[in-house]
Amino acid sequence: MGRKEMIAMLLAGGEGKRLGVLTKDLAKPAVYFGGKYRIIDFTLSNCAHSGIDTVGVLTQYQPLELNRYLGIGSPWGLDRRDGGMTILPPYMKQKGGVWYKGTANAIYQNMAFIERYNPEYVLVISGDHIYKMDYELMLQHHKRCEADVTIAGIAVDWKEASRFGVMHVDDEDRITAFEEKPKNPTSNIASMGVYIFSWKALQKYLIYDEASRGSSHDFGKDVIPAMMRDGLRLHCYSYKGYWKDVGTIESLWEANMDLIADEPELSLYDPKWRIYSVNPNMPAQLTTETAQVTSSFVTEGCILEGTVDRSVLFFGVNAEKGSYISESVIMPNVRIGEGARIHRAIIGEGAVIQAGVIIGDPLDDAITVVAVDQYVAVDHELLEVEPS
C-alpha cells in the first residue's frame, strides 16, 4: 500500500436512540435527509471534495442497510484499489471479539488498518452531522499550528452548549480547557466531533487509554482530557458555516426545514460542492392539475394530486386528491390517502396514511412521528415530540 498523508476514520455505528422509531432497524447515519440523501452522504461528500481517497467506515448498530447503501463507495469516488472505502465492523480475534466500547476504542480496534497506510495524520469524523467542510483547509491549519490535535469548533447557542464538548480557546487558537457535555458550560465553542490527529501521538494515547481501567474509551471524555493534562498542543479550527447534529427528532425536522428557508444557510445547489448520493433512478415527479406545491423539495418518482406547502418529499411519495401536507418530512414511498392532512410531521419510509387521517395540529408546535412501514388509520395513536 502506498503511504497516505491523511486517511479518514468515519464513525458510523450510532444507534440513534433519540430518533426513536426512525432508527429501530436502521443505523443513524443511514437515516434519510433532504429529499434524496442519507445523513452520511454529507461527511462522505466532504471527504470527496477534500481529496481524501482512503476512508475506513466503522459500523456497529443495525449495519445491514447502511452497508448495502455504501457498497464500494462509487458515488463518492471511493471505489479504488489504493485506498478507497473499507467498512470496518467489530470482528472476532484469536482471543475473542468485543463490540466497540466507545469512539476511542473503535479506532483502537482498527489500528492495524491505519498502519497499512502509515499516515502522518488521521482525520476522525462522524457520520451523523449535516455540514460542508473542506478538511484540507483544516489540515493546513493543523500544520501551521504544529498541533498534535486539531478540533473543529463552532459557536453554538448557550442553551445548546451542554449537549457538546466545549472548549476555551486563546488568541492563537490553542485550546486551554475542554469539558465534555458540562451541566453549566463556561464556553459556547462546541466541538463538532471533527478531529485531526498526528498519528504518532494518537497511536500512543489509544494504547494508553485502552489499558486504563477507569476509562470509558471516548475521545471527548477520556483521550482529549488526557492529552490536555500532558501538555500536548491542542488547537481549535474555527468553523463559520452551517452545522447540525441531527441526533434528535426535533433537530432532524429543523435541519430539513432549514433547507427550504427563503435564504437557506446550507445550499444544496452549489455546483462546486455537490452532495453525492446513491441515485434511486426513478421517473420524473408528476404534479397533476389538482396539485399545488409551494416552497418545497419534491423528489423524483412522486405523484402529487394534493397540496404540499413548506415540506420535504422523498422519492416515490404518492399524495392523493384533497390531501394537505405542510411543514413535514415525508420519507420515501409513502402513500397519503384522499383528504388526509399532515402538519409538522416526519413520516417514515413506506408508511400508509389512510384517507381522512389528520396528523398534527396547526395550533400545536409538537412534531408527530410515524414509524417506517406503519399503516395509519383514522383515530390511530401516534408519537408526538414536544419541541425543547
Side-chain angles (χ1 to χ4, degrees):
M1 292 286 174
R3 186 178 189 193
K4 304 284 184 181
E5 183 182 31
M6 183 166 76
I7 70 167
M9 299 295 277
L10 198 167
L11 299 164
E15 189 173 346
K17 285 182 180 176
R18 292 176 300 164
L19 288 176
V21 294
L22 295 177
T23 49
K24 179 174 170 286
D25 300 307
L26 193 66
K28 184 163 64 166
V31 169
Y32 288 101
F33 178 81
K36 63 179 296 180
Y37 308 102
R38 309 258 189 165
I39 296 171
I40 198 171
D41 287 337
F42 287 78
T43 312
L44 287 171
S45 297
N46 289 343
C47 288
H49 290 295
S50 304
I52 297 170
D53 63 9
T54 305
V55 181
V57 182
L58 287 71
T59 62
Q60 180 156 285
Y61 173 80
Q62 294 284 9
L64 187 64
E65 175 64 14
L66 179 60
N67 291 353
R68 184 197 67 77
Y69 180 75
L70 294 174
I72 58 172
S74 301
W76 309 279
L78 293 169
D79 50 340
R80 56 180 68 217
R81 284 181 181 274
D82 182 17
M85 177 187 289
T86 304
I87 293 174
L88 301 167
Y91 60 93
M92 293 298 291
K93 307 173 190 66
Q94 199 169 16
K95 295 180 182 177
V98 292
W99 289 106
Y100 294 144
K101 294 177 285 186
T103 52
N105 174 258
I107 304 298
Y108 172 83
Q109 288 198 43
N110 289 285
M111 286 203 304
F113 170 79
I114 298 172
E115 285 167 356
R116 287 170 64 189
Y117 300 99
N118 190 25
E120 220 169 318
Y121 308 102
V122 175
L123 170 71
V124 177
I125 43 183
S126 171
D128 49 17
H129 298 148
I130 303 296
Y131 67 115
K132 296 178 184 176
M133 180 188 278
D134 189 339
Y135 302 129
E136 174 61 30
L137 296 179
M138 184 174 171
L139 177 60
Q140 290 171 17
H141 183 78
H142 180 85
K143 291 176 180 176
R144 273 197 307 273
C145 295
E146 297 180 345
D148 296 301
V149 188
T150 298
I151 303 174
I154 188 169
V156 297
D157 192 297
W158 278 96
K159 291 182 292 185
E160 296 276 302
S162 60
R163 285 179 52 202
F164 305 103
V166 294
M167 303 176 275
H168 286 262
V169 181
D170 68 15
D171 292 340
E172 295 179 342
D173 294 323
R174 187 145 185 182
I175 299 167
T176 57
F178 184 94
E179 287 182 283
E180 181 68 9
K181 299 180 181 175
K183 283 187 178 178
N184 300 300
T186 54
S187 167
N188 71 330
I189 301 174
S191 164
M192 296 168 60
V194 178
Y195 309 98
I196 290 179
F197 294 93
S198 295
W199 171 230
K200 294 306 175 192
L202 176 60
Q203 191 175 31
K204 174 184 169 184
Y205 277 85
L206 288 176
I207 294 167
Y208 168 80
D209 178 73
E210 189 62 22
S212 175
R213 284 194 169 183
S215 177
S216 56
H217 308 297
D218 182 84
F219 280 116
K221 291 176 187 169
D222 307 291
V223 174
I224 299 298
M227 291 175 158
M228 290 284 299
R229 284 194 300 271
D230 291 349
L232 268 66
R233 294 181 62 87
L234 278 76
H235 281 257
C236 177
Y237 175 71
S238 184
Y239 178 73
K240 307 292 188 198
Y242 181 93
W243 177 81
K244 196 109 176 178
D245 177 352
V246 285
T248 65
I249 291 292
E250 186 184 13
S251 62
L252 180 66
W253 178 85
E254 284 176 354
N256 274 281
M257 292 300 105
D258 287 345
L259 295 174
I260 51 175
D262 290 339
E263 295 183 11
E265 289 183 66
L266 179 77
S267 172
L268 299 179
Y269 293 91
D270 181 356
K272 294 176 183 174
W273 203 277
R274 290 175 57 197
I275 306 301
Y276 302 110
S277 68
V278 177
N279 195 321
N281 289 320
M282 298 189 76
Q285 54 157 291
L286 171 64
T287 50
T288 67
E289 59 183 11
T290 59
Q292 287 186 305
V293 181
T294 51
S295 301
S296 298
F297 276 178
V298 180
T299 316
E300 62 260 45
C302 290
I303 300 174
L304 304 181
E305 299 177 274
T307 298
V308 179
D309 179 40
R310 289 164 294 147
S311 294
V312 174
L313 274 59
F314 287 76
F315 56 85
V317 172
N318 190 341
E320 295 182 8
K321 282 182 185 175
S323 59
Y324 183 85
I325 303 163
S326 67
E327 295 180 31
S328 294
V329 180
I330 315 296
M331 301 287 189
N333 301 317
V334 170
R335 298 287 174 268
I336 299 168
E338 194 169 332
R341 301 182 73 82
I342 300 171
H343 177 72
R344 282 180 80 98
I346 299 178
I347 312 295
E349 180 179 10
V352 176
I353 312 300
Q354 200 183 49
V357 166
I358 296 175
I359 295 174
D361 182 349
L363 301 177
D364 188 352
D365 282 344
I367 300 158
T368 309
V369 184
V370 174
V372 172
D373 293 328
Q374 189 171 355
Y375 184 89
V376 182
V378 176
D379 298 328
H380 192 105
E381 283 194 23
L382 296 166
L383 170 68
E384 284 197 348
V385 179
E386 295 291 340
S388 57

